[in-house]
Amino acid sequence: MERKLVCTEDGSATLYVPELNEHYHSVHGAVQESLHVFIRAGVEYSGKKELRIVETGFGTGLNAYLTLLHAHRNHFSITYHTLEKYPLSLEETRLLNYTEHTAEPEGLCGVFRKLHESPWETGVRLTPGFLLHKHQIDFREFCFTEQFDVVFFDAFSPEVQPDLWNAIVFEKYLRALVPGGILVTYCVKGTVKQALRSVGFTVKRLPGPPGKREMLRAVKPV
């Protein structure tokens, strides 16, 4: 897929896919969106300091990067699995300016580059509190062999890829979560809420990031 670099409203970058007419992150602010949807509504809401996270769509690596920084600052222990069928090239990742829009702690210089340079299909410990596993696979085909506390559901929107947002997919993620585990996503489309509820999630709409009125958090019953 062709991808074009775009500057979002908070100054951080995203990528645009003309073929899908879709951006990887919100044009109203890539870093703002990721912090709001995945860190605050996901990691912080969980209330745990030891977390297993699975992400659908590694993409630019922004969600993983912000999670790593959060873990480092707050002395969390995070095992992070991310699923991506079409990884960016290293040349594309070098165009992304996320380190300029985050307070990167001393000693972590270059960690964003390491996220992308780390090998696939093996665990890589990038900091004492962050273990990364990258899987190059369609997330619908991934076989879960362990359970997770948090799902970052960050696939392209259901308007362009509706087959990624159905009950079959969400049931798979429900089974992969521990009781009380959560799934967070930027998408609040009615069909998505219905699909989540149909497989057993308790779904709540939350205030969205800048430029978006709402987001979703779905919880697996205890």
Side-chain angles (χ1 to χ4, degrees):
M1 292 186 293
E2 178 189 7
R3 291 177 279 243
K4 296 182 178 180
L5 189 70
V6 174
C7 183
T8 71
E9 289 180 10
D10 68 1
S12 59
T14 188
L15 294 171
Y16 173 67
V17 183
E19 179 184 340
L20 300 176
N21 190 27
E22 185 84 347
H23 293 85
Y24 275 66
H25 304 286
S26 171
V27 295
H28 298 287
V31 168
Q32 288 182 144
E33 178 193 42
S34 184
L35 284 171
H36 184 97
V37 175
F38 300 107
I39 304 303
R40 299 187 189 116
V43 175
E44 291 183 359
Y45 177 81
S46 74
K48 298 179 179 180
K49 299 198 74 169
E50 292 187 10
L51 285 166
R52 301 187 69 82
I53 297 172
V54 61
E55 173 189 39
T56 59
F58 182 59
T60 64
L62 177 57
N63 297 333
Y65 175 60
L66 294 177
T67 303
L68 182 153
L69 296 184
H70 186 81
H72 183 80
R73 295 188 187 106
N74 295 282
H75 307 289
F76 282 19
S77 177
I78 291 180
T79 299
Y80 195 99
H81 288 256
T82 185
L83 316 176
E84 176 61 63
K85 187 175 182 180
Y86 301 109
L88 303 183
S89 68
L90 291 179
E91 289 73 19
E92 287 173 309
T93 67
R94 290 174 186 133
L95 300 174
L96 302 170
N97 63 352
Y98 301 137
T99 60
E100 300 170 19
H101 293 270
T102 55
E104 195 171 77
E106 186 177 351
L108 290 187
C109 181
V111 74
F112 179 72
R113 173 178 51 80
K114 291 176 183 176
L115 278 167
H116 286 282
E117 291 179 350
S118 295
W120 295 79
E121 319 308 336
T122 188
V124 179
R125 186 163 294 282
L126 294 177
T127 72
F130 191 88
L131 178 62
L132 175 69
H133 294 262
K134 297 193 301 185
H135 308 274
Q136 188 171 354
I137 191 171
D138 185 317
F139 66 79
R140 293 167 295 181
E141 300 171 1
F142 185 70
C143 181
F144 290 102
T145 58
E146 55 193 290
Q147 288 195 298
F148 295 87
D149 302 287
V150 181
V151 171
F152 290 175
F153 204 87
D154 199 18
F156 283 138
S157 73
E159 285 76 20
V160 299
Q161 292 187 316
D163 54 321
L164 306 183
W165 298 80
N166 58 41
I168 295 172
V169 170
F170 290 136
E171 185 176 16
K172 182 175 182 177
Y173 279 89
L174 181 78
R175 292 197 304 267
L177 281 167
V178 299
I182 61 176
L183 179 152
V184 283
T185 183
Y186 64 88
C187 181
V188 293
K189 190 172 182 179
T191 55
V192 172
K193 289 183 286 186
Q194 182 180 1
L196 286 163
R197 290 190 178 110
S198 74
V199 301
F201 278 107
T202 299
V203 180
K204 184 176 182 179
R205 291 181 296 176
L206 304 172
K212 188 171 179 61
R213 192 170 72 177
E214 293 177 321
M215 60 160 286
L216 288 184
R217 181 166 59 226
V219 180
K220 179 176 179 176
V222 177

